Amino acid sequence: MSQLLILLVRFYQLAISPWLAPRCRYQPTCSSYAIEALRKHGALKGGLLATRRICRCHPWGGSGYDPVP
Amino acid sequence: MDSKRLIIFIALSFGILLLWQNYFAPKPTAKPAVHQQASAAASSNADVPATAATPATDSSKLARGQRVVVDTDVLHAEIDTNGGDLRSLQLKKHNAAEDASKPFELFTDKGERLYVAQTGLIAAGNAALPTHKTVFSAAQTSYTLQGDKVEVKLTAPDANGVKVSKVYTFKKGSYLIDVRYDIANGTAAPLSTTAYYRLLRDGKAPEGEGRFAHTFTGPAVYTAENAFQKVDFSDLDKGKAEYTKNADNGWVAMIQHYFMSAWILKPYEGSAVCANAQACTFQLEPKNGSYSAAVMVNVAPIAAGKTASFTVPLYAGPEEYNIITKVADGMAYAKDFGKVHIFASPLFWLLTKLHAMVQNWGWAIVFLTLLVKAAFYPLTAASYRSMAKMKALAPRLETLKQQHGDDRMKFQQAVMEMYKTEKVNPLGGCLPMLIQIPVFIGLYWALLASVELRQASWMYIVDLARPDPYYILPVLMAVSMFAQTFLNPPPADPMQAKMMKIMPLAFSAMFFFFPAGLVLYWVVNNLLSISQQYYVNKKIENARKAALQS
């Protein structure tokens, strides 16, 4: 399951993301963060972490260095 | 690293598959299974025994009798005396998907195709009442609309003292056909009967269904209480279809891309047939390889010696918003926007308003894209500004990468540090982008589902629902994507950089076969992004030059 999700995120990184203006406020970016989180914590917890990260990534949210716990 | 290779492999094979399908695959065999075989192929198939594999050809089982032809300004209909079925219906104002010189055929029983409207009466005590198999008789074999309406009266043989006639009323400029039963109960007992009205259709996707733009084909019901429910053919096969069964209003329909047919229980601002009936029931079921979408009306008992008449209108025509919304409540749902209905339907509404102003669907698309883009301007403007600065910093990013080597954590921290000292503002964030995505997908579906774009011209394009005849838009699309690769900061990931070179080709190959209206939207969207980005890049460059000179 997590492999499948990683594949999806990777597809986004390769095929979609280059065409959009870079927008992520964090390092690592939300997509890299998602992949790392899924690898480390599996589909459920990793997915949740990634979702929460994306929800932080808005104009009034934080920014800067924010690694996967 | 291995997963990277895997992904390259997947992406490339996907791209190759697309290209191959579009350029090299022999068209007729590329279609999956027997499913999509056009009716034209039927004649050449006659000597091929393999056709036995398709039990779906119920059409052969529909008895063929005398045909009664009806012509109005918008319809050409053929009624068979067998059952008084509506067996063929051509829409004169719409052209066929495969051959634009022919009219669009909604109902048909030709070849392997089957899509007809049938009705009948059943009663426990009287098996002679006319069903969809009874042979009717008509006074003429051809009717032509003169004036506002034309009535076609089909008379059934006497059914144990009950006289029944089925009367079609076609109206000028209308896709709404009234189907009326006139029943005279000449027996000594009251007559309790159930009238059934059904649409019988094979499970095939409509002719010319786009390979990249699949839309829903199948039955649907609507009631005021439970709103719109569509049902997949496959769910009917499995017997696990869920939909409202008892209703005293609404409609039951067969829906496909751009066109629909529906039995209307309660016409818009009219009275429901069920108001005088005892009960009305929807019934969706598989039928000898085809599918039936039906409504049963339990008619109030007709006393001995009395007559009764009741009408259920049949809508059979385009899913044109301005027409169907005046046919019955909830008909706008038949324009199927898929899962993005909440985004697509307001966007479509806006599109119709723009069309009312500019009187051209092509320009309406251009202005709608402009409006949506403008609405998101505040969200994107800031990130374009930051992005332009980042692009200037790209060489330093490369040196940082070399400095830190494999230590990603250090590298990421150093990048953030550099952005801070160079006063690159944090970007807009991923969430605003993700929020935009469904809106743009909604816009795509709004355009995809719109029969209004059919045969709508714009500039040199004759039909916005067909591919661009000169491929100008897809080429523009590829060019604009290449232009973007120069404006965006080069991606740090070498894989991404590679993909950026491949994608414009893969995308434009796909767009060659897309409806021109959709490509138009995409091109306008891209051109707007580029000009916005270009403008910001220029501004920041000028500001930097000014700063250097002072």
Side-chain angles (χ1 to χ4, degrees):
Chain A
M1 184 62 197
S2 67
Q3 279 300 316
L4 188 80
L5 289 173
I6 288 171
L7 211 74
L8 277 174
V9 180
R10 200 67 191 127
F11 177 77
Y12 162 81
Q13 281 192 330
L14 291 176
I16 301 169
S17 156
W19 303 104
L20 306 167
R23 53 208 349 115
C24 193
R25 302 160 62 87
Y26 291 99
Q27 276 291 334
T29 59
C30 287
S31 55
S32 316
Y33 182 98
I35 290 180
E36 209 182 320
L38 289 167
R39 281 222 179 96
K40 262 193 192 169
H41 302 286
L44 217 66
K45 196 176 169 209
L48 194 73
L49 279 169
T51 313
R52 276 169 51 190
R53 169 50 146 6
I54 291 167
C55 290
R56 283 201 298 277
C57 195
H58 58 80
W60 303 275
S63 69
Y65 184 62
D66 173 34
V68 178
Chain B
M1 281 303 118
D2 262 357
S3 75
K4 274 195 177 177
R5 278 202 199 123
L6 175 75
I7 284 144
I8 291 196
F9 172 73
I10 292 170
L12 281 181
S13 44
F14 179 65
I16 290 169
L17 189 78
L18 283 183
L19 287 172
W20 187 82
Q21 270 198 342
N22 288 324
Y23 288 110
F24 308 115
K27 285 263 154 87
T29 50
K31 292 175 182 173
V34 230
H35 257 65
Q36 307 213 338
Q37 271 184 4
S39 54
S43 55
S44 62
N45 266 350
D47 50 351
V48 183
T51 44
T54 53
T57 52
D58 197 335
S59 53
S60 58
K61 284 173 204 149
L62 288 188
R64 208 187 150 91
Q66 178 83 43
R67 289 287 161 113
V68 179
V69 179
V70 187
D71 268 292
T72 77
D73 52 342
V74 293
L75 297 172
H76 172 85
E78 279 180 30
I79 298 164
D80 200 292
T81 48
N82 275 289
D85 295 349
L86 198 50
R87 296 278 182 92
S88 168
L89 191 71
Q90 291 175 353
L91 313 183
K92 290 181 179 175
K93 302 271 192 246
H94 295 267
N95 57 29
E98 299 288 358
D99 182 356
S101 66
K102 288 188 182 137
F104 183 86
E105 198 162 50
L106 186 67
F107 290 163
T108 181
D109 62 351
K110 280 196 205 110
E112 292 191 355
R113 294 305 313 268
L114 179 70
Y115 188 2
V116 297
Q118 299 181 315
T119 70
L121 295 173
I122 30 180
N126 191 342
L129 282 180
T131 66
H132 62 279
K133 287 179 176 159
T134 306
V135 180
F136 287 75
S137 58
Q140 291 167 239
T141 54
S142 138
Y143 293 79
T144 308
L145 176 97
Q146 273 148 351
D148 282 342
K149 58 180 182 179
V150 58
E151 275 198 358
V152 179
K153 186 173 179 181
L154 299 149
T155 314
D158 184 274
N160 304 328
V162 181
K163 285 196 170 62
V164 178
S165 48
K166 180 177 174 181
V167 183
Y168 284 94
T169 309
F170 295 81
K171 281 159 280 184
K172 190 180 173 192
S174 176
Y175 298 102
L176 199 61
I177 304 161
D178 282 342
V179 180
R180 188 179 80 228
Y181 272 114
D182 292 335
I183 303 173
N185 183 8
T187 64
L191 175 72
S192 291
T193 176
T194 298
Y196 59 90
Y197 300 83
R198 75 178 185 193
L199 300 159
L200 194 65
R201 192 191 190 284
D202 55 42
K204 294 179 185 113
E207 200 181 51
E209 167 94 287
R211 222 168 292 156
F212 299 110
H214 175 78
T215 51
F216 177 76
T217 303
V221 298
Y222 173 89
T223 55
E225 296 76 32
N226 293 322
F228 178 68
Q229 294 162 308
K230 55 181 183 182
V231 174
D232 282 319
F233 286 138
S234 59
D235 283 342
L236 288 181
D237 285 332
K238 289 176 216 145
K240 57 171 203 180
E242 275 176 37
Y243 56 93
T244 308
K245 292 190 177 72
N246 295 314
D248 59 356
N249 66 77
W251 39 267
V252 57
M254 276 289 181
I255 289 171
Q256 68 187 50
H257 196 200
Y258 295 144
F259 298 95
M260 68 180 297
S261 60
W263 289 109
I264 315 288
L265 286 186
K266 187 187 175 303
Y268 186 67
E269 289 179 343
S271 62
V273 66
C274 306
N276 300 320
Q278 289 178 319
C280 289
T281 327
F282 291 138
Q283 199 176 67
L284 309 180
E285 58 185 356
K287 207 119 207 144
N288 306 327
S290 290
Y291 300 90
S292 155
V295 58
M296 316 287 213
V297 179
N298 288 351
V299 184
I302 304 162
K306 294 281 187 222
T307 60
S309 291
F310 49 93
T311 302
V312 174
L314 170 71
Y315 180 81
E319 289 156 6
E320 213 167 295
Y321 186 82
N322 288 335
I323 297 177
I324 56 177
T325 46
K326 289 182 186 67
V327 168
D329 286 339
M331 286 278 275
Y333 282 107
K335 274 181 113 69
D336 184 41
F337 296 136
K339 291 188 172 62
V340 285
H341 188 91
I342 14 168
F343 298 102
S345 55
L347 285 168
F348 176 76
W349 176 84
L350 199 57
L351 185 72
T352 55
K353 293 289 156 213
L354 286 169
H355 175 257
M357 279 194 283
V358 297
Q359 290 299 317
N360 177 290
W361 288 107
W363 290 116
I365 293 172
V366 173
F367 288 120
L368 182 63
T369 317
L370 223 98
L371 279 180
V372 173
K373 206 72 184 158
F376 286 126
Y377 181 79
L379 281 179
T380 46
S383 48
Y384 279 126
R385 231 169 292 139
S386 310
M387 192 169 108
K389 283 188 186 165
M390 282 180 171
K391 192 185 175 222
L393 291 174
R396 283 177 58 186
L397 203 74
E398 203 49 45
T399 43
L400 277 181
K401 203 173 190 177
Q402 276 156 14
Q403 265 174 28
H404 293 288
D406 274 344
D407 193 346
R408 287 182 62 100
M409 208 157 101
K410 275 268 173 58
F411 167 69
Q412 284 161 354
Q413 274 170 327
V415 169
M416 276 344 268
E417 196 58 39
M418 178 178 76
Y419 286 164
K420 212 174 252 173
T421 51
E422 289 295 324
K423 295 209 179 77
V424 177
N425 292 325
L427 296 170
C430 299
L431 191 62
M433 174 200 65
L434 284 178
I435 292 170
Q436 285 181 49
I437 287 177
V439 176
F440 282 99
I441 295 177
L443 187 51
Y444 168 87
W445 272 87
L447 297 178
L448 178 65
S450 293
V451 67
E452 283 84 351
L453 299 187
R454 236 174 162 263
Q455 290 165 266
S457 62
W458 177 75
M459 309 274 273
Y460 65 96
I461 296 167
V462 206
D463 189 339
L464 284 168
R466 289 172 196 269
D468 186 334
Y470 305 113
Y471 303 116
I472 295 172
L473 285 175
V475 169
L476 259 178
M477 181 71 204
V479 171
S480 71
M481 281 182 95
F482 271 120
Q484 265 186 316
T485 56
F486 294 109
L487 284 168
N488 277 353
D493 188 339
M495 269 283 296
Q496 279 184 338
K498 235 176 256 169
M499 283 297 285
M500 260 177 109
K501 295 206 169 64
I502 302 168
M503 289 299 281
L505 283 175
F507 259 98
S508 49
M510 205 166 88
F511 279 128
F512 270 96
F513 301 90
F514 256 56
L518 280 174
V519 187
L520 176 63
Y521 145 63
W522 215 251
V523 168
V524 172
N525 193 18
N526 241 14
L527 290 179
L528 287 173
S529 306
I530 289 173
S531 39
Q532 194 182 354
Q533 216 167 321
Y534 182 78
Y535 170 74
V536 173
N537 279 4
K538 261 268 139 59
K539 217 164 84 174
I540 283 170
E541 222 166 273
N542 288 345
R544 235 214 340 251
K545 270 184 198 152
L548 282 174
Q549 277 165 2
S550 65

